[in-house]
Amino acid sequence: MRFVDEYRDAEKARALSAKIADLCEPGRQYKFMEVCGGHTHTIYKHGLEDYLPENIELVHGPGCPVCVIPMGRIDDSIHIARQPGVLMTSFGDMMRVPGSNGSFFDSNAEGTNIRMVYSPLDSLKIARQNPDQQVVFMAIGFETTAPSTAMTLLRAEAEGLRNFSVFCNHVTIIPAIKAILDSPDLRLDGFLGPGHVSTVIGCRPYEFIARDYGKPLVVAGFEPLDLLQSIYMLMLQLTEGRCEVENQYRRVVPWDGNPVALRTINETMELRPYFEWRGLGFISHSATRLRERYADFDAERRFELPGIRVADPKACQCGEVLKGVLKPWECKVFGTACTPETPIGTCMVSPEGACAAYYNFGRFSRERVKEASRV
């Protein structure tokens, strides 16, 4: 395959769905979790759930970095932005995430200066252009975006930029998956492994899932045929009695990851003892902070933070959605009080959020189109 449209061939999709249906054991229910929010959007943008038999259910995991940030960290960011002489920068999908007293946009309306950037290097450029201000980059994301933050720190150190710092909120995927596996709320038959994260960490870190928990995992790409083939690979493992980690996304993901990116992360960051995740609570060694060598660039050391834990709004059920316990349309405020224009929870804000995917692509109920049965 050479072109994107080859990964979206409807006839090939129907052929794969028929193969998947043939592997289904009568009377058995299958439940697979797609960890990555990008997978969730592909599934509902292209109607892939409709190509699957009724006894295969896809549930959504905590693979949306914006969605898992707790409200307290949003409040801490706004607290930093309110300090005299501070200019804060952030990725665009963070601008509308609600804290306990509003979003970054709301804070800007009250006088703060929080700017949207496309890269942490943009923040470095702003710091050079504004030497009289403290420029703070709110770093978020899994191992996918951590290398760019790490490289920015290395460049800031090399240039001696003392008016630049990082508010580090990078999280790691493996402890979150382990927390889900240890949760009594959910019983899964397998995982569609995250594609973007795996370009950095590779496939080897997932081996404990098959070895210790007896669950197969297939690292999947982001096109419709990628996901259908990955589901087929999971079904084939279950049918043959195998339990392995497989790599469907081999055109992008190396088995051992990206050693240069991993080395750069390790040079600049270390694991925190624990970190709070929305919906999953505190998970040990699940996020990073800057190493002591880079303390001068650490916003958490440069500014005094409230560090107050803030509960989600009572009406919001993002936590249950992130754990795969609820589907978005089962939330009481989904599509009514909570929409992309008026979000109550993070899952409706982020481009990778499950609630945004369901809302934008019209999945308001359990109903499916019997696509697979028409093959």
Side-chain angles (χ1 to χ4, degrees), residues 23-225:
L23 292 175
C24 286
E25 182 181 323
R28 178 175 176 179
Q29 296 294 315
Y30 300 88
K31 185 177 287 189
F32 301 129
M33 173 175 281
E34 83 272 4
V35 177
C36 181
H39 288 157
T40 304
H41 275 252
T42 297
I43 289 165
Y44 292 102
K45 179 180 179 180
H46 296 279
L48 297 189
E49 196 179 45
D50 298 329
Y51 281 80
L52 300 176
E54 285 283 352
N55 57 336
I56 294 181
E57 180 183 0
L58 301 177
V59 297
H60 325 303
C64 164
V66 172
C67 303
V68 301
I69 296 295
M71 291 184 75
R73 298 295 283 188
I74 305 298
D75 289 356
D76 287 344
S77 302
I78 293 174
H79 175 81
I80 293 173
R82 285 175 175 163
Q83 303 309 302
V86 169
L87 188 163
M88 178 165 274
T89 61
S90 169
F91 292 137
D93 49 2
M94 286 299 302
M95 297 297 291
R96 293 171 53 246
V97 175
S100 62
N101 293 301
S103 67
F104 288 176
F105 278 138
D106 296 325
S107 180
N108 278 348
E110 296 172 358
T112 60
N113 189 358
I114 305 176
R115 300 186 189 177
M116 182 182 73
V117 294
Y118 292 98
S119 161
L121 289 174
D122 293 340
S123 304
L124 214 58
K125 181 179 179 181
I126 292 171
R128 295 189 202 102
Q129 295 170 342
N130 297 272
D132 58 332
Q133 291 188 290
Q134 288 293 324
V135 177
V136 181
F137 173 62
M138 184 183 182
I140 67 156
F142 288 95
E143 292 92 340
T144 315
T145 54
S148 60
T149 301
M151 291 300 298
T152 303
L153 284 167
L154 293 175
R155 184 170 293 187
E157 182 189 45
E159 295 182 14
L161 279 176
R162 297 304 170 188
N163 68 321
F164 173 78
S165 60
V166 170
F167 182 42
C168 189
N169 294 275
H170 285 298
V171 290
T172 56
I173 194 64
I174 297 300
I177 294 177
K178 188 177 186 303
I180 287 171
L181 286 164
D182 291 335
S183 171
D185 297 333
L186 199 59
R187 290 290 178 264
L188 299 169
D189 293 289
F191 289 88
L192 294 169
H196 291 148
V197 168
S198 301
T199 62
V200 176
I201 69 172
C203 301
R204 200 172 298 279
Y206 304 118
E207 289 178 345
F208 80 98
I209 298 172
R211 182 185 64 246
D212 300 338
Y213 291 89
K215 308 293 182 186
L217 180 143
V218 176
V219 175
F222 291 89
E223 292 298 327
L225 292 186

Side-chain angles (χ1 to χ4, degrees), residues 339-362:
T339 68
E341 290 73 31
T342 57
I344 294 176
T346 54
C347 295
M348 188 61 89
V349 177
S350 171
E352 294 189 3
C355 294
Y358 272 59
Y359 186 91
N360 290 330
F361 302 119

